[in-house]
Amino acid sequence: FEVSWNSPEGVESWGDLRVVPEFGKDGKVASVLAINRDISARKRMENSLREREQRYHGIFDNVLDALFLLEVTPDGRFRNLDVNPAFEKSVGMSRAELVGKFIEETVPEETAKTVIAKYRKCVEEGAAIDEEATLDLPSGLRYYYSTLIPVCDDSGRIYRIVGITRDITERRRMEQDLIQRESELRSVMESSPDTIIRYD
C-alpha cells in the first residue's frame, strides 16, 4: 500500500510499502519485514499531470467556442476523442453520443463527407487550416468557421486533430437577410415609374 510522509523541511514523499510477516517454528508471526520503495518521483509526475489536466479541462469546458479532439487512425479514419460543452450545444448532440465514435457514425452521410474531406485536407497539408462549412446537424442547418490543427506523434505521423470551431450561423443569417432586403429594394426601384434616388 502507499504511504506518505513529510520531511522536517515540509517536503512530501511517497512510498510503496509492503509488509511481509515472518513466522517462527511454532507457526506464529515472530517478526514483520517492511519493504518500502520510494515512489516520490512518480507521484510528483502524476500530480503534475493531474494538475495540468485539470487546468486544460477548466479551459476546454468553459471556452465559448466549440472545441473538439479527433483521433486519426492508421487507416485514415477520424474518431471523436473529446468535445466541449459549447460543441455539444452547437451541434445538438451530447458528448456520450459523440466520443469514441467515427464521424460517419454520428452525422448524416453528406455532412460526414463534407467534414471528412476537410480533415483529410488538414492531414495531407500537415499544417493548420482555416475552413468554412455549412452543415446539416441535429440542431439544424449551421454555419461554421473552423481552425483545424494537426498533431504529430513521436514518429511524425499525424495522429490527432484539434478543432476550434466558431458557430457563425446568426451572422450568416443576418448577411442573407440584408442581401434579400437589398434585392427586394432593387426590384422595387427598377420597376417603379417614380424617380427614386438613394443617398448615403
Side-chain angles (χ1 to χ4, degrees):
F1 56 92
E2 285 187 9
V3 294
S4 65
W5 65 91
N6 289 324
S7 70
E9 295 79 22
V11 177
E12 189 173 17
S13 297
W14 292 267
D16 181 12
L17 181 62
R18 296 181 184 182
V19 180
V20 181
E22 295 180 316
F23 298 93
K25 292 181 180 179
D26 58 359
K28 295 181 179 179
V29 176
S31 60
V32 174
L33 177 64
I35 304 167
N36 184 44
R37 177 180 296 162
D38 190 333
I39 58 170
S40 300
R42 189 191 83 200
K43 289 294 289 184
R44 288 189 184 99
M45 184 180 294
E46 288 173 357
N47 290 342
S48 175
L49 288 171
R50 191 177 302 111
E51 288 172 10
R52 287 169 59 189
E53 183 80 8
Q54 288 169 349
R55 285 197 300 271
Y56 157 78
H57 272 291
I59 296 168
F60 188 80
D61 290 341
N62 294 298
V63 72
L64 296 178
D65 286 336
L67 303 180
F68 60 92
L69 178 64
L70 295 173
E71 174 190 6
V72 182
T73 64
D75 61 350
R77 297 179 73 193
F78 303 94
R79 182 178 11 231
N80 293 301
L81 291 180
D82 207 354
V83 298
N84 73 343
F87 188 95
E88 293 177 275
K89 182 179 179 182
S90 180
V91 302
M93 288 182 280
S94 70
R95 188 175 184 277
E97 293 175 285
L98 295 165
V99 172
K101 295 180 181 174
F102 290 102
I103 300 301
E104 59 271 23
E105 296 176 315
T106 61
V107 292
E109 184 179 353
E110 285 306 309
T111 300
K113 285 180 182 177
T114 299
V115 296
I116 287 171
K118 294 181 184 303
Y119 301 154
R120 285 198 178 127
K121 181 181 177 185
C122 178
V123 172
E124 287 165 6
E125 294 190 6
I129 61 170
D130 295 318
E131 293 279 354
E132 282 197 21
T134 304
L135 303 176
D136 184 16
L137 298 165
S139 58
L141 192 65
R142 312 297 295 179
Y143 300 89
Y144 293 101
Y145 181 83
S146 301
T147 299
L148 304 175
I149 305 165
V151 180
C152 296
D153 61 17
D154 293 337
S155 69
R157 184 182 79 83
I158 294 172
Y159 79 124
R160 300 280 189 270
I161 293 176
V162 176
I164 306 167
T165 299
R166 179 157 293 174
D167 189 331
I168 58 171
T169 303
E170 293 309 313
R171 189 186 83 191
R172 275 298 185 88
R173 286 177 180 160
M174 287 174 64
E175 289 171 355
Q176 289 170 353
D177 189 44
L178 285 171
I179 291 168
Q180 178 66 29
R181 289 182 185 182
E182 283 285 331
S183 176
E184 290 169 358
L185 179 59
R186 191 175 300 109
S187 178
V188 169
M189 290 174 70
E190 289 172 355
S191 62
S192 174
D194 299 324
T195 300
I196 301 173
I197 301 172
R198 181 178 184 180
Y199 295 98
D200 289 328

